[in-house]
Amino acid sequence: MKPASSRALARQRAGEPSPVRHRHDRPRRPDLTEVERQIAGLANRSTQDLRVAWCQLHRTGPPLRLSRDLMIRALAHQLQEQSYGGVGRALRRRLQSLAGASKKATMAVDPGLVLKAGTTLVRQWRGHTHTVLAHTDGFEHEGQLYRSLTAIAERITEAHWSGPRFFGLTRRESALAGPKARR
């Protein structure tokens, strides 16, 4: 009796299909050249045709002042996603959580207020002067680096305080309403 490997080799030489299914025998996704052809065709379409394609895809018009190049890139991405599948749910959730963590880390001060690195904040509290130095990656107080002003305010006061408010970086609504009311 011949070993299985020599029988498979004989079948292969004879042109017969192998009874064993391999990974590369799986049905393939759409032909890569077809997707490439569609993407290359986007560059040859008029801007109006691209807008119509955008409307068909998103059920709304493209954003105002969206450049032709970005419209082509977005449509190409959608073609690839339709052909090869999009991002899975688990990865999408992970990306959203990372984006949320990044947003929290960069919002150390009120969203409308940006402190340049090197800015010094000074606050008197119960007879002591507290100085905070802003860095690109946080705030320094008494030689220790903190991610937010709130953490520093809580350490100083031993109570929950809004850091920007503690250091006088927020504007009160009444202060803003005063000049408007006088006009």
Side-chain angles (χ1 to χ4, degrees):
M1 182 170 199
K2 289 184 178 180
S5 61
S6 63
R7 283 191 300 239
L9 186 60
R11 261 196 304 273
Q12 184 181 13
R13 286 185 181 145
E16 296 177 24
S18 171
V20 178
R21 208 169 153 89
H22 297 283
R23 274 192 309 179
H24 62 272
D25 291 339
R26 283 189 224 146
R28 294 186 179 185
R29 292 182 175 165
D31 190 22
L32 182 64
T33 57
E34 174 63 23
V35 174
E36 287 177 345
R37 185 187 62 73
Q38 290 176 350
I39 291 171
L42 290 174
N44 298 330
R45 294 173 76 173
S46 70
T47 305
Q48 187 58 35
D49 286 344
L50 293 173
R51 286 188 180 117
V52 169
W54 183 282
C55 288
Q56 290 171 346
L57 189 64
H58 296 285
R59 308 274 188 243
T60 183
L64 294 175
R65 297 189 183 128
L66 181 68
S67 70
R68 176 182 167 79
D69 180 57
L70 284 177
M71 200 177 323
I72 290 171
R73 289 172 188 246
L75 290 170
H77 177 265
Q78 290 296 327
L79 285 170
Q80 289 173 334
E81 197 173 71
Q82 287 173 355
S83 296
Y84 305 117
V87 176
R89 284 184 184 169
L91 180 57
R92 189 176 302 123
R93 278 195 306 266
R94 177 73 176 136
L95 290 172
Q96 287 175 341
S97 71
L98 289 172
S102 174
K103 185 182 280 189
K104 288 178 186 173
T106 57
M107 290 179 54
V109 183
D110 283 349
L113 182 64
V114 178
L115 293 178
K116 292 183 181 179
T119 301
T120 304
L121 304 172
V122 180
R123 173 67 151 88
Q124 290 280 334
W125 179 257
R126 297 194 176 168
H128 296 286
T129 303
H130 297 276
T131 306
V132 174
L133 179 64
H135 292 279
T136 56
D137 58 343
F139 301 94
E140 182 182 343
H141 176 254
E142 295 180 348
Q144 190 173 354
L145 195 63
Y146 294 87
R147 288 180 54 176
S148 70
L149 288 173
T150 300
I152 298 170
E154 287 178 356
R155 177 151 188 251
I156 293 170
T157 63
E158 297 178 351
H160 180 71
W161 268 80
S162 162
R165 177 174 275 178
F166 179 79
F167 287 99
L169 298 175
T170 59
R171 291 182 247 162
R172 294 186 179 174
E173 294 297 323
S174 60
L176 291 175
K180 289 180 184 176
R182 291 183 204 136
R183 288 183 188 170

